[in-house]
Amino acid sequence: AGVGVTWYTWLEQGREINASAQVLDAIARALLFDDYERAHLFTLAATSDPASASELDVLPPGTQDLLDQLEPYPALVVNARYDVLAYNRMWVSGFPFLESLPREERNCLWLLFTHPSWREVLVDWEGAARRMVGNYRAAMADHVGDPSWNGLVERLERASPDFGRVWALNDVQDPETYLKEFRHPEIGLL
């Protein structure tokens, strides 16, 4: 990987050595790290992995087929940053405007705080907002220094006073199973 033993030891010890993403990538390749080991390396170095940004959008083969088979139930797939990656027709029928939005706005947090129809559709908007922001804050621990994660927070703080209020609570929540209720414009309560 082109790094000295002392420097590498300091990295393993978690010392502040300011490793570049290129050096970390070289170490991960030299040691044949799998995805989990690579993510741990970048976490230890407190820097973002440039390779992970593209991997956030990769879905396993057959994902769309599975979503389609879940109909008539609405279903979607989001990543840890709440970017909408895939959905079935039933889910998008409740949010028909989604397909007309630019990709960077196809994010559940962004929509929750900036799109008025999400307030109308969600039965417990305040509870959903607190839960999602708490989950996002917890997930950010795995993406320290990642500009896409920090950038979303900055965009939301500029766009929504409600987001700023909920973000200021500093809640951290683990993802959990919960009942989510929607008011579908044609079907009613789901």
XYZ file of all heavy atoms in Angstrom, residues 4 8-9 16-17 19 30 36 43 66 89 93 103 119 136 146 157 160 166 183:
169
model
N 4.375 3.233 5.659
C 5.303 2.651 6.615
C 4.599 1.920 7.740
O 3.418 2.151 8.028
N 1.162 2.902 9.744
C 0.046 1.964 9.745
C -0.343 1.592 11.173
O -1.525 1.489 11.495
C 0.391 0.706 8.939
C -0.768 -0.261 8.890
C -1.840 -0.045 8.037
C -0.816 -1.365 9.741
C -2.919 -0.908 8.012
C -1.890 -2.233 9.719
C -2.933 -1.999 8.855
O -4.012 -2.846 8.835
N 0.645 1.413 12.047
C 0.371 1.105 13.448
C -0.419 2.227 14.090
O -1.368 2.001 14.840
C 1.688 0.853 14.218
O 2.385 -0.217 13.577
C 1.426 0.498 15.673
N -4.445 10.416 15.446
C -4.794 11.425 14.447
C -3.655 11.542 13.443
O -2.650 12.200 13.700
C -5.052 12.762 15.131
C -6.180 12.666 16.136
C -7.152 13.806 16.027
O -7.003 14.642 15.134
O -8.065 13.832 16.851
N -3.819 10.888 12.295
C -2.766 10.911 11.283
C -3.234 11.533 9.974
O -2.457 11.696 9.056
C -2.222 9.489 11.018
C -3.361 8.552 10.670
C -1.400 8.997 12.183
C -2.912 7.182 10.248
N -5.177 10.517 7.346
C -4.966 9.693 6.157
C -5.896 10.150 5.042
O -7.072 10.429 5.272
C -5.246 8.233 6.491
N -4.749 -3.545 -0.631
C -3.579 -4.377 -0.315
C -3.929 -5.495 0.659
O -3.411 -6.611 0.554
C -2.461 -3.514 0.258
N -17.244 -4.610 4.699
C -17.368 -4.265 6.117
C -16.026 -3.832 6.697
O -15.947 -2.865 7.452
C -17.946 -5.440 6.911
C -19.337 -5.791 6.468
C -19.570 -6.896 5.663
C -20.419 -4.986 6.815
C -20.845 -7.203 5.224
C -21.695 -5.287 6.390
C -21.905 -6.399 5.595
O -23.168 -6.690 5.155
N -13.974 4.445 8.919
C -14.522 4.960 10.171
C -13.405 5.251 11.162
O -13.401 6.297 11.818
C -15.528 3.962 10.783
O -16.600 3.768 9.858
C -16.085 4.467 12.100
N -39.437 -8.067 -6.369
C -39.972 -8.298 -5.028
C -40.968 -7.205 -4.652
O -42.062 -7.489 -4.145
C -38.845 -8.354 -4.002
C -39.274 -8.485 -2.541
C -40.013 -9.799 -2.318
C -38.076 -8.391 -1.630
N -45.851 0.339 -7.680
C -46.881 1.262 -8.185
C -47.822 1.726 -7.078
O -48.253 2.868 -7.068
C -47.684 0.599 -9.301
C -46.915 0.485 -10.605
C -47.716 -0.228 -11.654
N -48.006 -1.570 -11.123
C -48.998 -2.342 -11.515
N -49.806 -1.946 -12.450
N -49.181 -3.537 -10.985
N -48.398 5.632 -6.080
C -49.732 6.190 -6.323
C -50.133 7.152 -5.205
O -50.951 8.047 -5.406
C -50.773 5.082 -6.479
O -51.033 4.448 -5.239
N -33.497 13.874 -8.942
C -32.986 12.786 -8.105
C -32.612 13.252 -6.699
O -32.883 12.563 -5.721
C -31.794 12.134 -8.793
C -31.268 10.929 -8.079
C -30.305 10.172 -8.986
N -29.701 9.062 -8.333
C -30.274 7.904 -8.098
N -31.526 7.712 -8.451
N -29.636 6.925 -7.500
N -47.044 16.226 4.672
C -47.716 16.544 5.943
C -49.157 16.063 5.914
O -49.687 15.633 6.925
C -47.673 18.052 6.209
C -46.321 18.527 6.624
C -46.389 20.011 6.984
N -45.068 20.506 7.219
C -44.535 20.684 8.424
N -45.233 20.406 9.500
N -43.316 21.133 8.544
N -31.621 9.158 11.298
C -30.600 9.748 10.417
C -29.365 10.146 11.222
O -28.235 9.870 10.823
C -31.182 10.965 9.692
C -30.272 11.530 8.631
C -30.247 10.975 7.363
C -29.449 12.613 8.892
C -29.421 11.481 6.373
C -28.612 13.125 7.915
C -28.610 12.558 6.654
O -27.787 13.062 5.680
N -18.697 12.649 5.645
C -19.213 12.433 4.289
C -19.989 13.672 3.861
O -21.002 14.023 4.472
C -20.111 11.198 4.263
C -20.563 10.819 2.862
O -20.764 11.717 2.023
O -20.726 9.617 2.613
N -31.667 22.415 6.887
C -31.696 23.530 7.842
C -32.035 24.846 7.143
O -32.747 25.677 7.700
C -30.352 23.645 8.568
C -30.155 22.559 9.601
C -28.820 22.658 10.325
O -27.803 22.967 9.685
O -28.818 22.406 11.548
N -36.034 24.390 5.903
C -37.153 24.094 6.803
C -36.846 24.440 8.254
O -36.021 23.771 8.887
C -37.504 22.604 6.700
O -38.434 22.243 7.698
N -36.374 20.113 14.991
C -36.261 18.691 15.337
C -34.785 18.284 15.429
O -34.400 17.531 16.322
C -37.035 17.815 14.319
C -36.847 16.343 14.616
C -38.518 18.172 14.332
N -52.481 8.550 4.708
C -53.787 8.837 4.115
C -53.592 8.837 2.599
O -53.122 9.814 2.027
C -54.304 10.208 4.561
C -54.731 10.273 5.985
C -55.318 11.667 6.301
N -55.317 11.891 7.716
C -54.356 12.509 8.393
N -53.307 12.998 7.771
N -54.433 12.669 9.690
